[in-house]
Amino acid sequence: MYWAFPAGDLVREGTASYLGKAKGLHEDLARFEHVYAFPPKAVHGGRFPSHLGEPVVGGVNVVGDAAGQYLPLTGESIRPTMVTGQAAGRDARSALEGTCDVDAALANYRATVERSRFAYRALDHFQSWALRTPLSLVAPLVKGSTWGPVLRRLEAAYWAVARILTIWQSPSQRRRTRCSSVTSASPDPQ
């Protein structure tokens, strides 16, 4: 995977591995032709921890990259982080306002994250399978994944990870919730 993010006068570029290897990332980055024209000042490497971690550790909600909330296959973490971050904030607010106790708020956040664990596993299995697939078969298999029944299953797993409609659109749409009503909310994913 390759990315480039503007950062002031710099562009932060990188490659990463789902395989857990950090060696060879400089060579991977050098495969992009422009890298030879603008040699990097420093190279850092790592891997995407796309295995969903524990959502609550030591009485603290864990959100985003720290919780392994990267989507397998794409490396996307912004949407899952926004959804789970808002859920954590919503539960913390409920505890602060006294509409539920801290243990119930933590349990509610854990339940919110755990609802997406099956979808993470499904995407992770698909990614693991794709990484073991011979390159000559990748293009036909990717094309085959656009076939209706396969595509619907992949999309369902993708959307189940973080339902974007759970994010409040504006402060005027915010509603007061009790812990029990937060866990029962499950809007459709589109």
Side-chain angles (χ1 to χ4, degrees):
M1 174 174 287
Y2 168 79
W3 67 87
F5 296 110
D9 293 339
L10 304 172
V11 175
R12 299 190 189 281
E13 296 177 282
T15 62
S17 170
Y18 284 108
L19 300 174
K21 67 172 188 135
K23 292 183 179 180
L25 291 177
H26 186 272
E27 292 78 14
D28 289 346
L29 185 60
R31 284 190 285 178
F32 295 91
E33 289 184 23
H34 69 279
V35 172
Y36 293 117
F38 306 102
K41 293 181 180 177
V43 176
H44 306 277
R47 63 183 280 285
F48 285 111
S50 62
H51 303 287
L52 194 59
E54 283 298 316
V56 178
V57 176
V60 176
N61 291 336
V62 185
V63 176
D65 297 356
Q69 294 170 350
Y70 286 90
L71 293 182
L73 295 176
T74 66
E76 178 187 1
S77 66
I78 293 171
R79 185 174 51 90
T81 298
M82 288 174 55
V83 171
T84 57
Q86 193 167 70
R90 195 169 43 233
D91 294 332
R93 185 183 72 203
S94 294
L96 288 171
E97 291 176 347
T99 58
C100 73
D101 64 34
V102 172
D103 289 337
L106 291 170
N108 193 53
Y109 174 70
R110 177 182 295 282
T112 298
V113 173
E114 290 298 330
R115 281 195 296 271
S116 66
R117 192 167 294 277
F118 178 79
Y120 265 93
R121 283 187 183 137
L123 291 171
D124 190 47
H125 287 308
F126 189 81
Q127 173 183 293
S128 294
W129 170 78
L131 290 171
R132 292 189 310 269
T133 302
L135 287 177
S136 61
L137 297 177
V138 171
L141 291 173
V142 168
K143 185 176 180 181
S145 70
T146 64
W147 178 57
V150 174
L151 182 61
R152 282 191 293 279
R153 285 181 181 228
L154 288 172
E155 286 176 338
Y158 178 80
W159 284 113
V161 169
R163 290 173 174 84
I164 198 69
L165 288 182
T166 61
I167 295 178
W168 288 316
Q169 300 297 316
S170 69
S172 65
Q173 293 179 342
R174 292 182 183 175
R175 56 184 166 83
R176 299 288 177 199
T177 57
R178 295 191 178 276
C179 281
S180 60
S181 65
V182 173
T183 57
S184 64
S186 59
D188 292 329
Q190 288 181 1

